[in-house]
Structures are given as structure tokens and as C-alpha cells.
Amino acid sequence: MAEFEALEAIRSMATESCCDATVEDRLPAESVGSALHGTGECKPCAWYWKPQGCHNGENCMHCHLCPAQAVKARKKQLAQYRKEAEQLQPLQEELEASEVQV
């Protein structure tokens, strides 16, 4: 029970610190997940730029330095990769089948 209360206290502190400013006034901030920012390997936080903000604050495992549109851009890029992979799947199967026959 004490563990739950400690987690709630941490959440409320994180909420207060990250959500004082409106979304328009909010600046990118350091978070645990932002350590890989700039390498292309970080994962943008989907909550940081929303009105309610990220409740994990600086302890968030996702990047708070990525711009607001980064989540949408990465989802779009991933969808494109999946589409291309689906289109290549029949060709890959055909190639593998022809290699077995040789």
C-alpha cells in the first residue's frame, strides 16, 4: 500500500512540473528516454505534447525533446515500411521457391 502511495506522489509531482505550462508554452525537456535523442534511436513520447502532458515527467522512458509531430511522422514511416514489406513478401517467397528447385 505504501508503494502505491509513493507512486501516486511521484505522479502528482511529475504532473505539476510538466503540466504547469500550456501546450503552446511548453518547451522540450530532458527525460530518461531523451538520452538517445539525436541518434535516431529515441522514441518520442506520445503524451508530452498533449494538453494533459506526460505524467511520468523526467522519468519518462520516451523522448521529450522530439517535436510534437514526431510521433505522427514515425507512425507514418513505420506504416510505409510495413506496406513495402508486404509488397516484397510474394517476391521473396518466389525467390526462395526457385532457389530450392535449383
Side-chain angles (χ1 to χ4, degrees):
M1 188 66 173
E3 215 174 275
F4 177 75
E5 290 170 356
L7 286 173
E8 285 301 312
I10 291 170
R11 277 198 180 130
S12 69
M13 285 189 297
T15 302
E16 290 169 8
S17 64
C18 79
C19 298
D20 290 340
T22 63
V23 175
E24 294 82 22
D25 296 335
R26 195 173 299 150
L27 297 174
E30 290 285 330
S31 64
V32 174
S34 67
L36 295 174
H37 185 76
T39 66
E41 295 184 27
C42 66
K43 295 180 181 179
C45 180
W47 294 102
Y48 186 72
W49 295 105
K50 299 210 182 214
Q52 67 271 24
C54 176
H55 296 290
N56 295 320
E58 64 184 31
N59 296 318
C60 183
M61 300 306 289
H62 295 88
C63 185
H64 290 179
L65 296 176
C66 289
Q69 61 275 19
V71 173
K72 187 175 184 177
R74 296 225 182 155
K75 282 183 181 179
K76 191 174 184 179
Q77 185 181 36
L78 183 59
Q80 181 65 31
Y81 289 151
R82 286 182 178 155
K83 183 178 179 180
E84 290 172 4
E86 286 176 12
Q87 291 172 346
L88 291 175
Q89 184 67 30
L91 296 173
Q92 180 68 27
E93 291 172 359
E94 185 178 319
L95 180 64
E96 289 172 356
S98 67
E99 288 176 356
V100 171
Q101 294 175 358
V102 174

